Amino acid sequence: MAVTASTTTSHGSASVTVDSLPKLTAVGQRLEHIIRYSLDRFQFRNAIFLAERLYYHTRGTGHTTEEHEYAQYLLATCQYRQGQPELAWASLDGCTSIRNRYLFAQCCLDLRRYAECNGVLEWLLQEALPACSATAQQRHKLAIKYFTQALEANPFLWEALENLSELGSAPDPNSIFAEFDATIANVFASRPVLVIQRVKSAMPNPPAPPIIKLEDLQDENINETATEPSYNQSSVPAHDLTKPRQGFLPTIDTNSMAVLAQISEGNGIDKPNTLLRRGTAGHMKRPFERTKQEPAASAVAPAVSKAELQEELEALRIVADTFKILARAYGLFSQNKFTESMVEYESLPYEHLASGWVQCQLAKNKFEMTDYTTAAQYFQRAREMEPSIHRDMEIYSTCLWHLKQEMKLSALGKELKDSNHHSPQAWCALGNAYSLRNENDQALKCFQRAIQLDDRFAYAHTLSGHEYKGLEEYDKALTEYRTALSIDDRHYPAWCGMGDVYIKVGKSDLALIHYKEAQRLNPSNTVVIFLVGIVQERMNRTTEALRSFEEAIHLQPGHAMARFEKAKVQKEMGQYTEALKELDVVHKIAPTEPRVFMLQGEILLEMGDKKEALKKLTWALDLDSKSSHAIRDLIDKVNQDSDTEEQGYDIQHDSDG
């Protein structure tokens, strides 16, 4: 049996048929109860065995199609939770109920049967979806559209917010929770509300939307509970195996929601038993409305006091405020606003700030700011808080690679691999450890193993590209970089890698295009900006190169290489005084760098200060024996010029006599 409900959103209206739970026989109810009990205790093999018994039981005479499909759903759910989507897919093939088709679509997605998944979703949404052959740009826009709709239906849906941010379309948390905030404010209009400590709003509040009743957001949950079978519901939450929920608020008993409606309207709570009725004056009939007989047949829960309900909703508001901070911080990171993102994370209550996930987010912000030392400290803190953490550890390993901390990197890779041999992050860490020791072949094997474990891991493809580049296998490197970009076209390290390859093969124009794209995706990354400047300098676009180096220095004043290259460009432009000033700063950052002394000597030689030039070149020679040939040539040039001048002076002196 099924009921039809019409729902309207800002994107239009759609008619959706929602399944109600079928009435099982007494035997079926007992089996279902034991299945749920087993799932609750993670006894999946037992749950699957019993679900198979229920499946065959409902195939007998006297059972409806709805009962049999529900048994198929329970069996597929057990299989899916055990990590066997292929078995769940087979169990659900041919089913027609909403819940079965939804789980079937999820199995198709996991099994990468995208065309089949597309067809099921069209049927579920009653909306024609584009073919899987749609262009990347079309898929990108549609992904944003559907994630946005999902977030509108449930503002606590973190996965949708995370995906929107990674697609470059981070939503405004204030807009997400606008209706929620307005509803809560309406409930507590007459008294002060407990607010989360240290919360800072990074965005202006939107205009206040029309006030809606919180009970209207919860009706689906209330009425769905009323249609459940009469097994012991205390053993398992009612929502575990039922249809995907429409509302986003947690389940509150019927009387609580009714009391809330009265509170929001300023009415009393003297008659809790009468508040269960739906469709009373002033209320529109809701999609999942019960019949008049159903409320009478249901057990009425004890009434809750106004103070208890307000306490519960205050807690919900605190959860929402925490979620807003996390959403803002994650969105700012995706927009390359790393400092602002860190400020948001640091405004979290201590219990959330002192979590491995948040510490990793702080580390990633510092990593993108090329502050690898501080990033490593945050990552280490995350590991201390959650030793089993694997997510983002590939970034930690790259951080240690940049810092040349071979012992720590090797230890990290071993610890991650020992804790989970099938972790792609662990194999990336091991690969980085081999790469740091210049064992490119071994590093490549590790990165390829990571790809075997997760071929949608864009960063593993990029790291493989780096190793192929180190082995001078440029075609293979480009293939890996392109694969990474096919997975995530905003993955800027792959764009940089392609630029590196084109530099190696002498295609500066293509290198600049790829570096520029990387800069567009991450405009505050000083490494990328520096690379853009290097190519511009190589292409004799000195004015543009100077501008790029100045931008990198502005973002990172201690960027010694950017200052050194800026001085080289200034020398080429005849700006000798400015170049020497820049090199003085570089000397303070890197006092034993021979190239600084060598460039100072060249500039002083151009300015005619041969004595000082000879001194700088001599220091450079003492510090760098490898470049002694080039330095000696310059010293010889200084000496030859000095001899010529002296000879010219003597000739002039003799003629005067």
Side-chain angles (χ1 to χ4, degrees), residues 453-475:
L453 292 166
D454 181 4
D455 63 359
R456 300 290 297 171
F457 195 0
Y459 195 51
H461 286 285
T462 295
L463 291 173
S464 293
H466 292 342
E467 295 310 310
Y468 278 126
K469 181 181 64 181
L471 293 168
E472 298 185 353
E473 297 186 39
Y474 299 129
D475 289 339

Side-chain angles (χ1 to χ4, degrees), residues 479-499:
T479 298
E480 291 290 354
Y481 292 137
R482 287 174 182 139
T483 302
L485 292 173
S486 71
I487 297 168
D488 179 7
D489 61 359
R490 300 182 74 246
H491 184 59
Y492 78 90
W495 288 103
C496 280
M498 293 183 76

Side-chain angles (χ1 to χ4, degrees), residues 158 161 165 170 198 200-203 322 324-348 353 357-369 378 524:
W158 177 259
L161 186 142
S165 297
R198 301 170 61 216
K200 300 177 183 178
S201 176
M203 302 179 185
T322 302
K324 287 181 194 176
I325 297 175
L326 292 169
R328 267 195 298 271
Y330 199 90
L332 287 166
F333 174 79
S334 72
Q335 297 165 13
N336 306 302
K337 298 177 180 178
F338 306 121
T339 302
E340 296 93 325
S341 176
M342 293 192 70
V343 169
E344 286 294 332
Y345 280 124
E346 289 168 352
S347 72
L348 284 165
L353 182 61
W357 186 87
V358 171
Q359 292 298 308
C360 281
Q361 303 312 305
L362 291 168
K364 286 160 65 178
N365 274 288
K366 282 296 185 181
F367 180 87
E368 294 299 342
M369 296 164 73
Y378 278 119
S524 58

Side-chain angles (χ1 to χ4, degrees), residues 274-291:
T274 65
L275 299 175
L276 285 171
R277 295 185 296 118
R278 320 302 320 155
T280 54
H283 294 274
M284 293 180 62
K285 185 174 181 180
R286 299 297 296 162
F288 305 99
E289 180 176 333
R290 304 183 205 168
T291 64

Side-chain angles (χ1 to χ4, degrees), residues 531-579:
L531 290 172
V532 169
I534 290 293
V535 181
Q536 290 169 334
E537 181 183 4
R538 180 173 293 194
M539 298 173 71
N540 295 319
R541 295 162 67 167
T542 52
T543 302
E544 294 177 28
L546 182 62
R547 192 180 304 120
S548 293
F549 295 136
E550 287 175 342
E551 185 179 355
I553 294 167
H554 173 73
L555 292 169
Q556 187 180 345
H559 199 313
M561 283 303 299
R563 289 186 179 276
F564 180 78
E565 293 297 331
K566 177 185 175 183
K568 284 175 61 179
V569 172
Q570 288 173 325
K571 172 181 173 290
E572 294 299 322
M573 299 174 72
Q575 300 175 5
Y576 301 131
T577 303
E578 293 84 351

Side-chain angles (χ1 to χ4, degrees), residues 253-256 259 272-273 299-305 308:
D253 71 65
T254 306
N255 268 27
S256 298
V259 170
N273 290 356
V300 177
V304 295
S305 68
E308 289 173 330

Side-chain angles (χ1 to χ4, degrees), residues 6 44 92 130 148 242 306 310 319 330 395 400 443 465 476 510 558 579 607 618:
S6 297
F44 298 126
L92 294 167
T148 301
T242 55
K306 179 178 179 179
Q310 287 177 327
V319 172
Y330 199 90
I395 306 298
L400 295 175
K476 291 182 178 179
L510 288 175
M607 295 175 70
T618 303

